Amino acid sequence: MTELEGKRLLIVDDDPAFTRILARAMKRRGLEVTVAHSVEEAERVLSTFIPDMATVDLKMETASGLTLIPSLRAASNEMKILVLTGYASITTAVEAIKLGATNYLPKPADADEILAALGKTQPDPDIEVNQQPMSVNRLEWEHIQKVLAEHDGNVSATARALGMHRRTLQRKLSKRPVKQ
Amino acid sequence: MTELEGKRLLIVDDDPAFTRILARAMKRRGLEVTVAHSVEEAERVLSTFIPDMATVDLKMETASGLTLIPSLRAASNEMKILVLTGYASITTAVEAIKLGATNYLPKPADADEILAALGKTQPDPDIEVNQQPMSVNRLEWEHIQKVLAEHDGNVSATARALGMHRRTLQRKLSKRPVKQ
DNA sequence: TGACAATGCGACATTTTGCCCCGCTGTTTT
DNA sequence: AAAACAGCGGGGCAAAATGTCGCATTGTCA
């Protein structure tokens, strides 16, 4: 881990408990950590210095972390950008990588996983494919996320498009996605 | 759909039933379709001509579809490459995009979804409106049928694979007038 | 034949859902 | 500016779906 010594990490997440713990773990590993609790705050940080790596939460109070990725990537081509979210979906993962993220991890993830994901830049065609098909619940979650993205996050429109009650969709969205 | 007329599509998937249906649907839309049932076969096709777009399955008998993506991308920067798999996961989605895929879709997906994912860039107002996304129920139904077939009709095994209770799967299978 | 998995189904507790109704916040219309 | 409108989040409640357990029956295979 010595090669991490002194590297600057920007953590963007509006969960104070999460950022506190992660920041501490990263500092213990010798990183220089800055925390931003919103996209706006992150933009301000960017105007003062350019971090070497960044972790970005997707679901935040105000703007989505996705909107921050282009700014981060514009600030530096070398920056390692990791998207980290408790509401992971294939749709947002694809979107994030296309926007220039280096990697994408579902929460919960510990500090070592995060560092590993930040370090693994090169794609590997030989990673193994799941042997299990998706669970129905997971498939539903992915589908909902896709349609939601197509409707720019408009819950009402998505519910209409899916022929599902808005209240039900709202409840489903507030839950964490199922594993696997 | 006229802008699709005559475009060459390469379908890489080792499921004969799937390729047959998809090829037919795509031909009906005016595409020129070639099918490869393995990565090797796809490589051979590539040495003959360069398609405008390709759909690639991940889980195939021999090599994973992921290994094909660099070849496809090397053959042309313009090619639309869609990864399409019943064994979708965030990990492989991220890898696929990093390797140069244009998009990534979990199966089941119908022909229109696939075309959309391959990058319809035309601002066609009608398409958006009448193109309803698949309802969650139908999506679920198709997925269940697929996995059930993979397990030779074994309900218990299917329920395990789908992470769903056997009793629930049983009930779903019994009373299902397949509504859209 | 014995062992074992799979099936169909009843019964019941738990969870999810559909539905109606708020209040609040922006945006568009009048 | 006021009113009308759309979207969001959420409370509460009845109806429906699901998870769970148990049990008798039916393959299947060595």
Side-chain angles (χ1 to χ4, degrees):
Chain A
M1 296 290 180
T2 45
E3 78 278 9
L4 293 174
E5 203 66 45
K7 286 280 174 69
R8 284 157 307 180
L9 167 67
L10 171 62
I11 299 175
V12 187
D13 197 313
D14 65 351
D15 178 347
F18 176 80
T19 53
R20 189 162 31 77
I21 292 170
L22 181 59
R24 210 164 60 94
M26 289 308 189
K27 280 178 189 159
R28 208 180 317 127
R29 285 167 175 77
L31 290 162
E32 199 176 296
V33 179
T34 309
V35 171
H37 290 289
S38 71
V39 169
E40 295 72 27
E41 201 181 328
E43 305 268 15
R44 278 198 297 279
V45 170
L46 271 190
S47 66
T48 55
F49 76 101
I50 311 292
D52 302 296
M53 38 184 95
T55 72
V56 182
D57 185 31
L58 273 196
K59 192 175 177 179
M60 289 185 288
E61 287 299 327
T62 56
S64 156
L66 275 184
T67 62
L68 180 62
I69 298 180
S71 309
L72 290 169
R73 182 51 71 220
S76 158
N77 269 332
E78 308 304 317
M79 197 191 308
K80 313 289 189 195
I81 305 173
L82 172 66
V83 172
L84 196 58
T85 176
Y87 296 77
S89 74
I90 289 176
T91 308
T92 52
V94 168
E95 202 55 36
I97 302 296
K98 281 192 192 174
L99 286 171
T102 317
N103 223 324
Y104 184 103
L105 267 193
K107 283 186 198 172
D110 64 32
D112 289 322
E113 285 181 280
I114 290 172
L115 282 176
L118 278 167
K120 191 164 77 76
T121 322
Q122 291 310 312
D124 172 16
D126 295 319
I127 59 164
E128 54 185 84
V129 178
N130 273 359
Q131 50 167 11
Q132 287 279 91
M134 286 181 132
S135 74
V136 266
N137 285 336
R138 183 74 215 190
L139 185 73
E140 178 188 58
W141 170 262
E142 295 294 346
H143 189 239
I144 288 176
Q145 290 302 318
K146 172 164 173 284
V147 178
L148 185 63
E150 277 164 10
H151 289 84
D152 305 310
N154 182 325
V155 178
S156 299
T158 304
R160 259 180 261 125
L162 289 172
M164 124 184 332
H165 202 281
R166 183 183 66 88
R167 190 70 184 88
T168 301
L169 178 58
Q170 199 177 299
R171 283 192 279 235
K172 275 185 196 291
L173 287 174
S174 67
K175 279 183 207 143
R176 294 239 167 162
V178 278
K179 303 211 182 312
Q180 190 217 351
Chain B
M1 296 288 180
T2 45
E3 80 280 7
L4 294 175
E5 203 66 46
K7 285 282 174 65
R8 285 158 306 181
L9 168 67
L10 172 62
I11 299 174
V12 188
D13 198 314
D14 66 352
D15 177 347
F18 177 80
T19 54
R20 189 161 33 77
I21 292 171
L22 182 58
R24 209 164 60 95
M26 289 308 187
K27 280 177 189 159
R28 207 180 316 125
R29 285 168 174 76
L31 290 162
E32 201 175 291
V33 179
T34 309
V35 171
H37 288 102
S38 70
V39 168
E40 294 72 25
E41 200 180 329
E43 304 267 16
R44 279 197 297 277
V45 170
L46 271 190
S47 65
T48 336
F49 74 101
I50 309 294
D52 302 296
M53 37 183 102
T55 73
V56 182
D57 186 28
L58 274 196
K59 194 184 181 196
M60 290 185 288
E61 289 298 328
T62 55
S64 154
L66 276 182
T67 61
L68 180 62
I69 298 181
S71 310
L72 290 168
R73 183 49 73 220
S76 158
N77 269 331
E78 309 304 316
M79 196 190 310
K80 305 291 187 188
I81 305 174
L82 172 65
V83 173
L84 195 58
T85 177
Y87 296 78
S89 70
I90 288 175
T91 312
T92 51
V94 168
E95 289 301 312
I97 301 297
K98 281 195 199 173
L99 287 167
T102 316
N103 222 326
Y104 185 103
L105 271 192
K107 285 183 195 172
D110 64 29
D112 287 322
E113 282 183 281
I114 291 172
L115 282 177
L118 276 167
K120 62 158 196 270
T121 38
Q122 87 289 28
D124 199 338
D126 318 314
I127 302 292
E128 295 289 349
V129 192
N130 34 14
Q131 193 156 327
Q132 290 280 79
M134 224 183 278
S135 81
V136 274
N137 282 337
R138 193 163 121 66
L139 189 78
E140 177 187 65
W141 171 258
E142 299 215 1
H143 191 239
I144 286 177
Q145 292 304 318
K146 170 110 186 174
V147 177
L148 186 60
E150 274 167 14
H151 290 84
D152 304 310
N154 182 323
V155 178
S156 297
T158 305
R160 276 194 296 271
L162 290 173
M164 138 185 317
H165 200 280
R166 182 181 68 90
R167 189 71 183 89
T168 302
L169 178 57
Q170 199 175 53
R171 282 191 278 238
K172 271 184 200 296
L173 288 173
S174 65
K175 48 180 176 188
R176 192 54 89 116
V178 195
K179 62 207 166 185
Q180 155 62 325

